[in-house]
Amino acid sequence: MKKRVLGWLADAALVLYFVFALFPIAWMVILSLKPADQLFSTYFSFSPTLDGYRTVLGDSEGIPFVRFFVNSLVVSVGAVVLSLVVGLPAAYASARWRFKGSENLMFTLLSFRFAPELTVIIPLFVLYQKLGLFDTYVGMVWVLQLVTLPLIVWIMRSYFADLTPELEQAALLDGYTRKQAFFKVALPLVKPGIAAVSLLAFIFAWNNFVFPLILTSNEAQTVTVGALSFLGGDRPKYNLTAAAALVSVVPPLLLALTIQRYLVRGLSFGAVKA
Amino acid sequence: MGWRLTLRPYVLIVPALLLTCGILYPFGLGLYYTLFDFSASKPQPDMVRLENYTTVFTQEAFWNSAWVTVLYAVGAALVETVLGVAVALLLHRSTLVGRVLEKILILPLMIAPVIAAIIWKLMLQPSVGVVNHLLRPFGLGGVQWTDTPTGALLSSIAVDVWVYTPFVAILALAGLRSLPTSPFEAAAVDGAGWWYTFRRLTLPMLWPYVLVAVIFRFMDSLKVFDIIYALTEGGPGDSTVVLQIRAYLEAIRFQRYSFGISYTIVLWAVVYLAAMVLVKHLGKIQRRAAEVTT
């Protein structure tokens, strides 16, 4: 009997935490569906409307939100693709061979993950204006490497290290070249890992705020900065802010639910393997 | 053939190396800038050697920022660790409720921190925010969440906790699920109580996992920017001006580039030292955990 009561209490505590975790998201949904005149008059009873979304997606507040959304997509995908192209070979090389400088490079990459972003951004802010990269896709994709490259290299390295080298060796004995062994044997085996780490890198690139805040102004601005613009003005429009916030969290949330199994390794940079 | 074999790893790593250099270059440039008095009003700067750093260290504003940063990082990491491990232990019981909830555990973690801060800003608004509305029946309807120095700091830590507790919980849960079962079976046979088992077995073996999470969280919250920027912009007064916000204000708002970068270099050194100490500690803890299991 005592055990059963304790079990209930434990479940109740868990539910309590999840109320704290999920209420803000639910509240944003409610706020975003409220008509402007019922924002503060009532809290939980209102006549839902999609006007908030229409306004946000119709760019009618002078904030081109749809363009910011597209910008977020372009720079996040661009950053992930570039990181994959240069990161996968590096991850493979450092997992398969011990050579001079490989550890140093890996730890330099890891240190990017923990460096204060502004150390690099402030000089880039000056540099980009000279080079014409300020407020451009290229400039954003480049600087987002700080986020995506260490993640992709470290995690893929741990996946490659988990593969037994025997498979590739067998392929080599069968007359494959090194290149074929990599593309036809090693890569297909880590495909799920590549997919998961790409999505995770995409999420982190998408969620980044400080880079577009300082290195873009309008042309290449992203949703995270855009969503904040709705808070401006003397009377922030709560329903619009909520709608903008929700629209901008949809892609990362949907993707996150598909890569649950890989999250532990991804979030801990391969330090913890589930 | 021999030389080609030696060269191969280098060839594969060159693109990544080039990209790394592309990131190291602005970092080096930043270090170089800190030796000058470069600002928008002085585009032809003079060499001032280490003057920027001496100015930083003698400024009241710096020590205030450093203090706020440490409070924030320690507070956030501490609450997230305790709460995250508690949530993991509760989920580990694997009841029906737990299994359903576990699927949605990561949602707050995948929301951009800046968006999380926007969400909480709307909720914490004193007169029309939903939090005070819900507290009104309890006679607490007028709390000025982000308008008092203490309240602003606690509110921003709360947003951090909301976003990142799942991070600790996920790692701790992975740890719990990978623990060997035999020590627990032996303890159960000996009739050990829950608390004894937790203190003597679970916690020491779980520590390495938890510590990885703590290292990530502590080092990330030392360089917090997004949450503070969106929630309080460093206010009221300078009660929540953490180091990266101060650097932002100096470099971007007041356009004193050299001085702003000096702030971030000091922060970078602090993060680096903290990492060294923590990682050393992690090694010790891992060895101790290995002893418990054997």
Side-chain angles (χ1 to χ4, degrees), chain B residues 131-257:
Chain B
V131 172
N132 276 359
H133 175 77
L134 292 173
L135 288 176
R136 227 152 262 151
F138 307 99
L140 290 165
V143 185
Q144 299 285 318
W145 295 102
T146 52
D147 299 339
T148 61
T150 315
L153 190 62
L154 290 177
S155 300
S156 45
I157 290 176
V159 178
D160 204 287
V161 166
W162 184 72
V163 176
Y164 290 106
T165 297
F167 177 83
V168 182
I170 285 172
L171 293 194
L173 194 58
L176 283 169
R177 283 180 180 154
S178 62
L179 295 185
T181 51
S182 54
F184 293 95
E185 284 156 8
V189 169
D190 294 343
W194 177 88
W195 178 242
Y196 183 87
T197 313
F198 176 71
R199 283 260 327 162
R200 297 285 158 170
L201 290 175
T202 318
L203 211 49
M205 287 197 282
L206 192 61
W207 252 128
Y209 293 90
V210 176
L211 202 60
V212 168
V214 172
I215 290 175
F216 269 85
R217 284 313 314 135
F218 182 69
M219 290 175 36
D220 273 349
S221 41
L222 279 176
K223 60 186 182 79
V224 63
F225 180 87
D226 305 13
I227 290 175
I228 305 267
Y229 184 91
L231 194 73
T232 67
E233 279 213 70
D238 55 4
S239 56
T240 52
V241 179
V242 287
L243 284 165
Q244 279 229 104
I245 294 282
R246 175 81 66 192
Y248 170 84
L249 294 174
E250 285 291 348
I252 307 296
R253 201 105 355 131
F254 309 135
Q255 302 190 307
R256 292 192 283 254
Y257 307 127

Side-chain angles (χ1 to χ4, degrees), chain A residues 7 10-11 18 20-22 40 43 99-100 105 113-114 117-119 123 142 178 207 238 248 256 260 264, chain B residues 8-10 13 17 19 26-27 93 95 101 103-104 110 115 125 128 133 162 170 219-220 223 244 264:
Chain A
D11 271 346
F18 275 89
F20 163 69
L22 298 176
F40 311 116
Y43 275 84
F99 55 94
K100 232 194 171 87
L105 176 75
R113 165 73 182 66
F114 293 109
E117 296 85 354
L118 286 157
T119 315
W142 183 261
R178 218 11 167 164
N207 285 348
Y238 278 40
S248 51
Q260 290 256 25
V264 170
Chain B
R8 180 178 294 123
Y10 292 103
I13 225 154
L17 202 59
L19 207 56
F27 180 78
R93 293 166 55 254
T95 53
L101 290 179
K103 296 206 170 16
I104 46 177
M110 292 297 145
I115 303 282
Q125 215 286 332
V128 293
H133 175 77
W162 184 72
I170 285 172
M219 290 175 36
D220 273 349
K223 60 186 182 79
Q244 279 229 104
T264 68

Side-chain angles (χ1 to χ4, degrees), chain A residues 227-247:
Chain A
L228 200 58
S229 345
F230 286 97
L231 270 180
D234 38 8
R235 282 219 60 147
K237 302 174 179 62
Y238 278 40
N239 53 341
L240 302 187
T241 312
L246 272 175
V247 169

Side-chain angles (χ1 to χ4, degrees), chain A residues 6-11 13-15 17-18 20-25 27-28 31 39-40 43-44 82-83 85-87 89-94 97 99-102 105-106 108-127 129-130 142-143 145-146 149 153 178 200 203-204 206-210 213-214 223-225 227-228 231 235-236 238 241-242 244-246 248-249 252-253 256-257 260 263-265 267-269 271-274, chain B residues 5-6 8-10 12-13 15-27 29-31 33 38 83 86-87 90-91 93 95-98 101-115 117-123 125 127-131 133-134 136 158 161-162 165-167 169-171 174-175 178 208-209 212 215-217 219-220 223 225-226 229-230 243-245 247-248 251-252 255-258 260-261 264-265 267-268 271-272 275 286:
Chain A
L6 277 176
W8 280 334
L9 280 177
D11 271 346
L14 206 50
V15 169
Y17 168 77
F18 275 89
F20 163 69
L22 298 176
F23 177 78
I25 302 175
W27 182 245
M28 280 309 105
L31 266 188
L39 273 176
F40 311 116
Y43 275 84
F44 295 97
L82 181 60
S83 287
V85 170
V86 304
Y92 183 70
S94 74
W97 295 287
F99 55 94
K100 232 194 171 87
S102 73
L105 176 75
M106 293 305 287
T108 307
L109 274 175
L110 189 62
S111 73
F112 291 163
R113 165 73 182 66
F114 293 109
E117 296 85 354
L118 286 157
T119 315
V120 172
I121 298 185
I122 300 166
L124 278 180
F125 174 72
V126 177
L127 206 62
Q129 292 183 333
K130 280 187 197 154
W142 183 261
V143 73
Q145 295 307 308
L146 266 173
L149 189 66
V153 171
R178 218 11 167 164
L200 195 60
I203 292 170
F204 286 146
W206 178 281
N207 285 348
N208 189 286
F209 168 71
V210 69
L213 175 75
I214 297 174
V223 282
T224 43
V225 183
L228 200 58
L231 270 180
R235 282 219 60 147
Y238 278 40
T241 312
L246 272 175
S248 51
V249 300
L253 288 191
L257 292 175
Q260 290 256 25
L263 273 178
V264 170
R265 195 192 291 230
L267 292 171
S268 67
F269 268 58
V272 176
K273 291 171 190 175
Chain B
L5 280 179
T6 343
R8 180 178 294 123
Y10 292 103
L12 288 176
I13 225 154
L17 202 59
L18 285 175
L19 207 56
T20 307
C21 294
I23 294 167
L24 284 175
Y25 173 70
F27 180 78
L29 189 69
L31 262 175
Y33 279 157
F38 180 34
L83 196 57
V87 169
L90 290 171
L91 285 172
R93 293 166 55 254
T95 53
L96 181 63
V97 178
L101 290 179
E102 195 189 320
K103 296 206 170 16
I104 46 177
L105 174 65
I106 56 150
L107 290 183
L109 183 60
M110 292 297 145
I111 288 176
V114 67
I115 303 282
I118 293 173
I119 292 174
W120 281 91
K121 193 175 178 131
L122 297 186
M123 289 176 34
Q125 215 286 332
S127 53
V128 293
V130 69
V131 172
H133 175 77
L134 292 173
R136 227 152 262 151
V161 166
W162 184 72
T165 297
F167 177 83
I170 285 172
L171 293 194
S178 62
Y209 293 90
V212 168
I215 290 175
F216 269 85
R217 284 313 314 135
M219 290 175 36
D220 273 349
K223 60 186 182 79
F225 180 87
D226 305 13
Y229 184 91
L243 284 165
Q244 279 229 104
I245 294 282
Y248 170 84
I252 307 296
Q255 302 190 307
R256 292 192 283 254
Y257 307 127
S258 284
I261 301 169
T264 68
I265 297 285
L267 175 60
W268 175 77
V271 171
Y272 193 84
Q286 280 174 325

